[in-house]
Amino acid sequence: EYITVHSSHLISKARMAVRKCRSFSLAIALALCFSSCSWEAFVAARSAEVFSRRALLSLLGSLALPGGSAVAKLGVALPKAPEEKPEVKRPMPTSIAEARLEIFRGKAETLRANAEWYRFYVGDLIVKTSGATAIDGLSADDPNCAVGLCQAGVALTQIGKVLSSPGSRGGGVALAAIDSALITPMSTLAQTGVWDPDADVDVEEVASKVCRDFQITLRELGQNVKDRKVDAVRTTYEKSLQNLNSYFRAVNSAGLAKPSEAAFLPELPLKQEELEASEYWQVQRKAFEDARDPVLLFQESQALAPRDVRQALKRWPGATLLVR
């Protein structure tokens, strides 16, 4: 009855103890002495390593309430003293080599997709700079292409944006599209540590050297774009494709991926005629264009059935109308 009637007086004393004491645990001990609470609350309070002021005041307020121990009145568990436990060693992966191989496969698949983007998207821009696929038929260096506003001039400007950094964003320097798509994956893939150290050819050394040559070629390509030298742009672009093919040959020589797997890096066609004559690259180009067609993307998002189901139903005319 005394604790119930004089609860506010006890809380005031406890708060004064908190202000005067440098140690929170000592303040709790004094408050427990004031309210004549149980010994288990004193031990729990003394063993607590860290206490916030808000949690401490909540504890002191609960000490003034009658019935039960202070630990049961808190409503939340007090932090316990750390117990000494035997050191448990975490199990190692089944095979570090297998883990590195999985990293290699993921990076190789990404690099393969980005290389197709460089061949199809940037390659089409290279062809357009000569006016071959432009509606007006003007090349980017034609005097009639006023300040680069013809289709070939616009294509040349787009190539420059791919090769150059867009500047700073959010206080940092943003990478150019070509850096994030090809240079960085090529550099990290060469340093994955999956190569056989007993092989006749040091794949990491060869791949790293080719990657540096590729960067030099890209800088030369960027300079030719700034100078608006259409013939030099086409020649330098083909040289960059040769660098990529040399890199792919070095990586494929390690035998870590079969030609039928997505991690295999097929060599890119150098000439536009080779691209158009290859059935394989025409299929890859169609898949590349479909993946970026806004109409097809919208239809895919609105379809009622998965793509594989709709493809399977195409053998029956009119059946796909039910799941579109």
Side-chain angles (χ1 to χ4, degrees):
E1 293 178 357
Y2 175 81
I3 294 176
T4 304
V5 173
H6 298 83
S7 60
S8 60
H9 180 64
L10 292 175
I11 293 175
S12 176
K13 285 186 176 182
R15 289 177 176 173
M16 291 177 63
V18 172
R19 296 190 186 99
K20 293 180 180 179
C21 297
R22 296 181 179 179
S23 172
F24 281 160
S25 59
L26 182 58
I28 295 174
L30 292 175
L32 289 168
C33 293
F34 292 153
S35 56
S36 302
C37 289
S38 63
W39 176 254
E40 67 171 320
F42 174 79
V43 174
R46 196 76 178 98
S47 62
E49 290 186 346
V50 180
F51 251 97
S52 66
R53 187 175 296 273
R54 184 183 297 274
L56 178 60
L57 293 179
S58 300
L59 172 64
L60 298 178
S62 66
L63 295 177
L65 299 177
S69 65
V71 177
K73 296 171 190 175
L74 279 175
V76 293
L78 288 173
K80 298 181 180 180
E83 300 178 359
E84 294 185 0
K85 296 182 179 179
E87 183 179 358
V88 179
K89 294 183 178 181
R90 303 180 66 178
M92 294 293 293
T94 55
S95 174
I96 296 180
E98 292 181 1
R100 289 180 176 177
L101 184 58
E102 289 300 320
I103 296 175
F104 162 80
R105 292 182 181 277
K107 293 184 179 297
E109 293 176 9
T110 302
L111 179 58
R112 176 174 178 171
N114 294 343
E116 292 181 355
W117 163 81
Y118 184 70
R119 184 61 188 90
F120 298 141
Y121 174 73
V122 181
D124 288 348
L125 294 177
I126 295 292
V127 174
K128 186 173 289 187
T129 57
S130 63
T133 58
I135 298 177
D136 50 19
L138 298 176
S139 63
D141 56 355
D142 193 295
N144 295 322
C145 183
V147 296
L149 295 180
C150 61
Q151 287 192 343
V154 173
L156 197 65
T157 303
Q158 292 175 344
I159 296 173
K161 292 181 179 179
V162 169
L163 299 175
S164 60
S165 172
S168 60
R169 292 181 180 179
V173 178
L175 292 176
I178 197 67
D179 291 332
S180 58
L182 290 178
I183 296 177
T184 301
M186 290 170 65
S187 178
T188 54
L189 183 63
Q191 301 173 9
T192 49
V194 296
W195 319 114
D196 185 5
D198 299 329
D200 297 335
V201 179
D202 190 346
V203 178
E204 180 176 351
E205 181 180 355
V206 174
S208 300
K209 180 182 181 304
V210 175
C211 184
R212 292 191 294 269
D213 294 340
F214 181 66
Q215 296 182 55
I216 295 174
T217 304
L218 289 180
R219 286 196 291 267
E220 183 181 352
L221 177 61
Q223 186 61 44
N224 292 331
V225 170
K226 291 181 180 180
D227 297 338
R228 309 187 72 81
K229 298 179 180 178
V230 176
D231 294 336
V233 166
R234 183 180 66 255
T235 304
T236 312
Y237 174 74
E238 293 179 358
K239 182 180 178 182
S240 67
L241 295 179
Q242 293 175 357
N243 295 142
L244 282 177
N245 289 340
S246 300
Y247 181 91
F248 292 168
R249 283 194 297 269
V251 173
N252 292 334
S253 65
L256 299 178
K258 300 178 181 178
S260 58
E261 297 178 344
F264 186 82
L265 302 174
E267 296 186 24
L268 304 172
L270 302 181
K271 302 290 185 179
Q272 197 70 12
E273 295 78 10
E274 300 176 10
L275 176 63
E276 296 174 356
S278 173
E279 182 179 354
Y280 167 79
W281 286 111
Q282 287 302 309
V283 173
Q284 295 300 110
R285 185 185 183 92
K286 181 66 166 57
F288 174 82
E289 294 175 350
D290 290 347
R292 288 159 178 77
D293 190 344
V295 177
L296 294 179
L297 291 176
F298 176 77
Q299 293 177 352
E300 188 72 21
S301 63
Q302 301 299 317
L304 300 178
R307 184 180 181 87
D308 55 348
V309 175
R310 289 182 280 116
Q311 292 292 335
L313 289 176
K314 282 187 176 181
R315 68 182 71 179
W316 294 286
T320 55
L321 294 175
L322 301 175
V323 292
R324 285 181 181 175

